[in-house]
Amino acid sequence: MTSEPPVHATTVAVHHAGAWKGVMILGPSGAGKSDLALRLIGRGWRLVSDDYTQVWASGGALYTTAPAVIAGRIEARGVGIVSVRTRLTARIVLAVACLPEAVERLPEPQSRRFSGIDLPLLALDPRPASAVDMVAVALQTL
């Protein structure tokens, strides 16, 4: 098992096709990571970590957990820090890059490497209501 410094990302997981699958949402502060995560949580997903995510590789897969100081909590902008249902750890199968503008209709496949593991990367404007559905659709294609 290899470990790196925490990644500036919010991570959520959903039980899909018989297993828990995680999505790491990337972007700078204010990009909409927590907002997108809260909308996914509203659809039955679980929070793994908000804002910073501890990442490690094991057995050719990528896993994440929350740093202890922030475990179980997420920032709801304008409301404060709130507790939500969580998952202690998750195997990550997709990364989502939050962008401040619309993305190409049919982009070339992208990936991003974490701890020596390449993850499919979905570039996404997290603000539209459909962003939650786009993440779910991308997860189903894996």
Side-chain angles (χ1 to χ4, degrees):
M1 178 170 86
T2 61
S3 183
E4 296 182 5
V7 175
H8 192 204
T10 294
T11 303
V12 291
V14 67
H15 197 263
H16 175 74
W20 283 94
K21 297 182 179 179
V23 173
M24 196 160 42
I25 306 169
L26 309 163
S29 295
K33 298 181 303 293
S34 298
D35 180 75
L36 179 57
L38 283 167
R39 288 185 278 150
L40 288 163
I41 291 165
R43 294 226 182 146
W45 293 55
R46 300 272 179 93
L47 176 70
V48 177
S49 184
D50 184 40
D51 204 33
Y52 283 92
T53 299
Q54 192 67 48
V55 177
W56 73 94
S58 180
L62 189 70
Y63 296 89
T64 63
T65 193
V69 69
I70 61 172
R73 297 176 298 183
I74 188 169
E75 178 185 355
R77 192 171 290 265
V79 175
I81 307 297
V82 297
S83 295
V84 295
R85 290 187 70 183
T86 60
R87 178 123 180 104
L88 179 62
T89 188
R91 180 178 179 179
I92 302 304
V93 298
L94 176 68
V96 173
C98 293
L99 302 178
E101 70 273 341
V103 297
E104 289 183 50
R105 289 180 59 204
L106 298 170
E108 292 296 319
Q110 298 180 31
S111 65
R112 179 145 175 215
R113 183 170 285 246
F114 297 92
S115 296
I117 305 293
D118 288 324
L119 287 180
L121 179 68
L122 171 66
L124 180 72
D125 179 351
R127 296 170 296 173
S130 64
V132 171
D133 296 312
M134 296 301 172
V135 172
V137 166
L139 185 66
Q140 290 175 7
T141 66
L142 300 177

